């Protein structure tokens, strides 16, 4: 037993200090918010849109990328002859409104959004209990949500915890495209949460169907079944993206605050 206590004292403090300090360094392969160069994009070229497996790219007067549908696969980057599309290191991707996930050519700053209104912030700002529902997911988003409960992230220090029963929850955190088999289960789980309640859609599947979009056996995301209060894009989203979205939702990070990951 003494050896255990000695080893623990030598380990030091493992939990990151974010958001009171810069976030941890992101891996080199991390793909954050897409950026579209207004100068490089050739007129009339459809290569990026044709390469996108989920139809996340639309070309009208400008190129638009829907991060809710985006798999961050970089097929568009590789298809563009001018490399007009790039992925930045911006991990702050979550949004309160679905339309805020759509970025367009030349728009390189995030559309920051408001946190919960004062009444809901008073209810959930210090203690937020969530029931996680995997509505047909591949387990990638689920795994990154689970990471937040480890000692390095320690989601509980913000008063945010996952609970076993929807009757003990303030809201739902949904992953997966919502398959036919999960549609009724999701609806019943939502109904079991007492009002007022919030819903968080994590990942491209939960937002718009992900790679299964428009498949006959999926509902193209949670919004087809329940109202959504927070969208966290990615396939899967990085744990830091999920954490940042949750903290902004409950007002623990003020709107407009942006921090650069450690190098």
């Amino acid at each position: 037993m003494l050896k255990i206590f000695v080893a623990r004292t030598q380990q030091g403090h493992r939990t990151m200090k974010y958001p009171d300090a810069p976030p941890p360094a992101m891996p080199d392969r991390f793909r954050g918010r897409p950026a579209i160069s207004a100068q490089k994009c050739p007129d009339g070229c459809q290569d990026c849109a044709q390469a996108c497996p989920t139809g996340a790219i639309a070309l009208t007067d400008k190129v638009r990328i829907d991060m809710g549908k985006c798999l961050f696969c970089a097929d568009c980057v590789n298809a563009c002859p001018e490399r007009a599309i790039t992925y930045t290191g911006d991990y702050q991707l979550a949004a309160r409104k679905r339309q805020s996930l759509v970025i367009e050519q030349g728009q390189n700053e995030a559309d920051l959004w408001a946190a919960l209104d004062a009444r809901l912030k008073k209810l959930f700002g210090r203690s937020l209990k969530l029931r996680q529902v995997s509505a047909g997911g591949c387990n990638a988003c689920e795994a990154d949500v689970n990471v937040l409960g480890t000692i390095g992230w320690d989601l509980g220090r913000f008063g945010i915890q996952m609970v076993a029963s929807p009757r003990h929850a303030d809201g739902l955190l949904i992953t997966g495209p919502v398959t036919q088999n999960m549609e009724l289960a999701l609806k019943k789980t939502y109904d079991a949460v007492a009002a007022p309640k919030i819903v968080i859609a994590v990942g491209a599947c939960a937002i718009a169907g992900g790679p299964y979009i428009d498949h006959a056996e999926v509902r193209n995301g949670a919004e087809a079944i329940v109202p959504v209060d927070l969208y966290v894009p990615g396939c899967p989203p990085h744990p830091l993206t999920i954490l940042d979205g949750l903290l902004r939702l409950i007002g623990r990070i003020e709107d407009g605050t942006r921090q650069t990951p450690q190098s």
Side-chain angles (χ1 to χ4, degrees):
M1 180 65 72
L2 179 61
K3 291 182 179 180
I4 295 176
F5 283 113
V6 172
R8 183 64 188 89
T9 56
Q10 292 174 345
Q11 289 170 359
H13 186 74
R14 291 186 174 186
T15 305
M16 69 178 68
K17 296 182 179 180
Y18 181 81
D20 296 327
M26 305 299 282
D28 294 338
R29 63 183 180 277
F30 174 73
R31 295 170 185 159
R33 177 184 170 84
I36 312 166
S37 172
Q39 292 74 31
K40 292 183 179 179
C41 187
D43 294 335
C45 177
Q46 299 283 329
D47 291 351
C48 59
Q50 293 174 357
C52 182
T54 59
I57 300 178
L59 288 84
T60 51
D61 56 324
K62 293 182 178 181
V63 180
R64 290 179 173 83
I65 299 178
D66 184 348
M67 290 195 297
K69 294 182 178 180
C70 182
L71 303 182
F72 295 77
C73 64
D75 282 358
C76 57
V77 175
N78 298 328
C80 180
E82 302 296 331
R83 291 293 193 268
I85 299 176
T86 57
Y87 284 96
T88 70
D90 188 353
Y91 62 89
Q92 296 177 321
L93 308 178
R96 288 292 310 279
K97 297 179 180 179
R98 179 67 179 85
Q99 59 267 31
S100 296
L101 296 179
V102 180
I103 60 175
E104 66 180 30
Q105 182 179 338
Q107 175 192 349
N108 294 323
E109 291 297 326
D111 181 14
L112 295 179
W113 40 274
L116 292 172
D117 61 54
R119 184 178 70 91
L120 292 179
K121 189 185 296 186
K122 184 177 181 180
L123 289 172
F124 303 136
R126 298 181 63 184
S127 177
L128 178 62
K129 311 300 182 185
L130 298 172
R131 176 65 169 97
Q132 199 271 324
V133 179
S134 178
C138 70
N139 208 38
C141 291
E142 292 84 346
D144 278 356
V145 170
N146 289 343
V147 165
L148 296 178
T150 63
I151 191 172
W153 297 82
D154 191 14
L155 186 64
R157 63 194 162 114
F158 303 108
I160 306 174
Q161 294 178 324
M162 302 297 167
V163 295
S165 171
R167 299 190 184 280
H168 301 159
D170 300 309
L172 303 181
L173 188 150
I174 303 170
T175 55
V178 187
T179 61
Q180 282 187 359
N181 290 338
M182 283 300 298
E183 180 178 352
L184 180 60
L186 176 58
K187 183 65 168 61
K188 287 185 174 181
T189 305
Y190 176 80
D191 291 341
V193 180
K197 49 192 168 185
I198 59 177
V199 174
I200 301 164
V202 173
C205 285
I207 296 174
Y212 314 104
I213 188 170
D214 293 333
H215 192 284
E217 295 184 2
V218 303
R219 294 294 178 259
N220 286 350
E223 201 166 35
I225 311 301
V226 295
V228 176
D229 299 284
L230 179 68
Y231 304 85
V232 186
C235 187
H238 192 279
L240 184 58
T241 299
I242 303 172
L243 177 61
D244 182 80
L246 291 174
L247 295 183
R248 291 181 186 278
L249 180 70
I250 63 174
R252 294 296 296 270
I253 299 178
E254 296 299 326
D255 295 337
T257 302
R258 308 187 64 78
Q259 295 195 47
T260 304
Q262 298 172 3
S263 58

